[in-house]
Amino acid sequence: MSDSAPPCSAALPRYGVLTIRGPDARSFLQGQATCNIDEASDARALPGGLCNPQGRLYSSFLVVSDGSEDLLLRMHADIISITAANLNKYIVFSKADSADESEYYAITGLWGRGSRELIDEVCPEPPTQTNDVVTVGRDKIIQRDDTGERFECWLAAGEESLLAEALTRCIQCDAREWDALAVLAGEAEVQAATADEFIPQMLNYDVSGHVSFTKGCYTGQEVVARLHYRGTAKQIGRAHV
């Protein structure tokens, strides 16, 4: 890193990881999620949501493929049990299962001038676009903006790494500063307090990449698609970001 002020980082313990694993993991989640799961890979993260039959979101997530079968869903930790309980109603018909693997990752936000330089320092081939994913050892780095000044770092818990060491040289900040950047970026996420309250359009998920209108059926799809093609909502809700 240069002699300029170091970037900022903050631990984000509010996040956890729900893993869907097994040979049918991808096809199962494709039938549940609002996004096109086929577009998620080990090099590309994808935002998405999960709806109840009435089209209301009980979960939102950022999904990354891990290996040949596993899908890692990063979401607010307080909805992992809600999400698993809802998915488990249907997963019994697939060769897949779900597991809370939050203990394996310590998720940290990195942002500000110098963050790109830090990532370049630890990545032989750093991410370049929003939601690009790079895996370094067991750590994952996800670029979260177009300019390369905001990153999610998924640190393998309990392990030393070049990324973990580099983050110790950052200015340690409050997670609320990371939240403020998310608000400015127009990012809204479902939490336990807002589960089952909003349809995707109320959180602008129809324009933020969370919803695919061409992928086919998923739970709640009829309600979400009907509103999209009508273009108006009967009831306007207030989103909590």
Side-chain angles (χ1 to χ4, degrees):
M1 294 176 62
S2 68
D3 294 331
S4 61
C8 299
S9 71
L12 304 175
R14 70 180 62 97
Y15 287 136
V17 175
L18 179 68
T19 298
I20 310 298
R21 62 162 65 91
D24 292 345
R26 188 173 290 268
S27 59
F28 164 73
L29 199 58
Q30 181 75 313
Q32 299 297 321
T34 58
C35 57
N36 186 350
I37 293 297
D38 288 342
E39 296 177 2
S41 70
D42 56 1
R44 186 74 177 168
L46 187 68
L50 295 161
C51 295
N52 63 25
Q54 291 73 43
R56 293 186 176 268
L57 291 156
Y58 64 83
S59 182
S60 64
F61 57 81
L62 191 67
V63 59
V64 177
S65 178
D66 189 45
S68 60
E69 296 181 347
D70 294 357
L71 293 167
L72 308 181
L73 280 64
R74 190 274 287 148
M75 63 184 68
H76 275 259
D78 63 5
I79 60 169
I80 285 183
S81 60
I82 296 171
T83 303
N86 278 287
L87 291 178
N88 288 344
K89 296 175 184 177
Y90 309 100
I91 205 169
V92 293
F93 304 107
S94 303
K95 294 179 180 178
D97 58 42
S98 65
D100 181 355
E101 297 194 336
S102 303
E103 63 182 303
Y104 298 115
Y105 296 97
I107 298 179
T108 298
L110 169 70
W111 70 93
R113 292 184 178 180
S115 55
R116 164 58 68 187
E117 187 176 355
L118 183 148
I119 294 300
D120 289 347
E121 178 183 321
V122 300
C123 288
E125 298 182 11
T128 59
Q129 299 179 20
T130 301
N131 291 335
D132 277 358
V133 182
V134 172
T135 300
V136 182
R138 291 187 57 218
D139 299 335
K140 295 185 183 299
I141 300 169
I142 306 175
Q143 183 166 322
R144 298 294 285 134
D145 68 349
D146 293 330
T147 61
E149 292 191 350
R150 190 160 64 101
F151 300 87
E152 270 188 39
C153 303
W154 299 13
L155 301 172
E159 293 191 12
E160 296 181 359
S161 66
L162 288 175
L163 177 59
E165 189 279 327
L167 289 173
T168 65
R169 293 183 266 129
C170 296
I171 300 171
Q172 303 305 306
C173 298
D174 192 290
R176 287 175 293 186
E177 296 184 39
W178 174 269
D179 295 342
L181 294 174
V183 170
L184 290 173
E187 297 171 5
E189 297 177 324
V190 177
Q191 305 176 39
T194 56
D196 294 318
E197 284 197 16
F198 303 117
I199 59 173
Q201 285 91 334
M202 291 177 177
L203 301 182
N204 290 327
Y205 281 7
D206 53 328
V207 296
S208 61
H210 288 71
V211 179
S212 170
F213 292 100
T214 60
K215 59 163 280 186
C217 295
Y218 56 88
T219 301
Q221 181 263 347
E222 183 178 353
V223 175
V224 178
R226 185 187 306 124
L227 179 61
H228 174 71
Y229 290 112
R230 284 183 178 177
T232 57
K234 293 182 179 179
Q235 180 179 355
I236 302 299
R238 184 174 63 186
H240 299 278
V241 178

